[in-house]
Amino acid sequence: MKTHKSKWAYFFLAVSAAVFLYFLASVNIGASLEFDRYFSKFFTGLFSENTHPFFEAMDTLGDKAGVGIITLAFLLLLLFKYRNYEAMASVVFAVAAGNEVNKWLKEAIGRPRPDQEHLVDVASLSFPSGHAMIGMILYAVMAYFIIDELKSKSAKWITAILAGIWIFLMGISRIVMGVHYPSDIAAGFAAGFAAGYIWVFITISLYAALKSMFRRNSHQRDSA
């Protein structure tokens, strides 16, 4: 997967930046967005109360504890199944860097949560959604390393599609739970794609550099 050579990746990177900047400008001027009104009504109307336990579970998987557990589980998979220490370092770097960027954006923008009933507890600010942004980064990196181990093209596509669906559901769970405006989610996805593209590119480069270093050191030890 050579993200840095993909023209489509550059296109979607530009679109993501434009989407994020649009919503950022709208939030900063205090504009009331029809986008928020329409999609809040759409998603809360689409999913009945019977689906709330599912979305609560998705919400839990996207919070700090959930991200930590999933990251740890993936690190253990990389350690015990693949002995891939380079990939482990790359995953930790991507998640930690993405989390810091999201916290900085929330504090810098300072948008409060929607003034409505919250079905889950929240303590931080609203824009952009951490679930959407960190989810995009984490699962993009996970998908990359999983796809890298797969041989079948169909399996690679299925993995990418499932990762996309998972990220989307994690994002909209925050709308259904009443703790985010849809524009928070859209901006989170946009920022997550942009930051994710950068972090995935960096982690891929780091992965390749570390892999080359480990192999070179191993070759030198074998030759000694």
Side-chain angles (χ1 to χ4, degrees):
M1 183 183 294
K2 298 179 180 179
T3 56
H4 58 291
K5 293 184 178 180
S6 171
K7 292 181 179 179
W8 279 110
Y10 286 134
F11 170 76
F12 286 116
L13 183 62
V15 171
S16 295
V19 169
F20 178 78
L21 291 173
Y22 168 76
F23 286 119
L24 174 61
S26 299
V27 170
N28 280 337
I29 64 175
S32 178
L33 297 173
E34 182 62 30
F35 178 89
D36 285 337
R37 289 190 291 271
Y38 176 82
F39 282 104
S40 288
K41 183 178 180 180
F42 175 80
F43 284 117
T44 55
L46 179 64
F47 299 106
S48 67
E49 290 186 8
N50 294 332
T51 66
H52 286 182
F54 168 77
F55 284 110
E56 286 178 14
M58 292 298 298
D59 184 90
T60 300
L61 290 173
D63 64 18
K64 289 182 179 180
V67 168
I69 291 170
I70 292 171
T71 302
L72 178 60
F74 189 62
L75 291 174
L76 292 174
L77 175 68
L78 291 171
L79 174 62
F80 292 110
K81 183 174 177 61
Y82 301 112
R83 301 292 179 180
N84 195 333
Y85 307 110
E86 307 96 318
M88 292 172 64
S90 298
V91 170
V92 171
F93 174 75
V95 174
N99 184 61
E100 291 304 311
V101 170
N102 181 259
K103 289 194 296 185
W104 179 82
L105 286 171
K106 282 179 177 287
E107 291 299 324
I109 297 164
R111 188 186 201 184
R113 297 280 178 170
D115 184 17
Q116 60 189 26
E117 181 184 5
H118 298 167
L119 301 183
V120 292
D121 294 331
V122 289
S124 64
L125 293 166
S126 193
F127 185 97
S129 165
H131 280 60
M133 183 173 172
I134 304 303
M136 180 73 77
I137 294 171
L138 172 60
Y139 294 108
V141 176
M142 287 178 60
Y144 169 78
F145 288 116
I146 291 172
I147 289 170
D148 192 52
E149 296 290 341
L150 298 174
K151 306 301 181 184
S152 167
K153 285 188 176 181
S154 60
K156 292 175 184 286
W157 275 104
I158 290 172
T159 300
I161 291 169
L162 289 176
I165 293 172
W166 186 269
I167 292 166
F168 178 74
L169 290 174
M170 186 167 290
I172 66 170
S173 72
R174 303 296 275 174
I175 302 174
V176 177
M177 295 292 98
V179 296
H180 271 299
Y181 298 100
S183 54
D184 296 336
I185 306 303
F189 284 146
F193 182 86
Y197 179 83
I198 295 170
W199 296 130
V200 168
F201 172 75
I202 292 174
T203 53
I204 290 171
S205 300
L206 177 62
Y207 171 75
L210 289 173
K211 191 172 184 178
S212 176
M213 182 182 69
F214 273 76
R215 285 179 174 175
R216 183 169 60 252
N217 291 341
S218 177
H219 178 72
Q220 290 174 350
R221 287 194 300 269
D222 293 340
S223 300

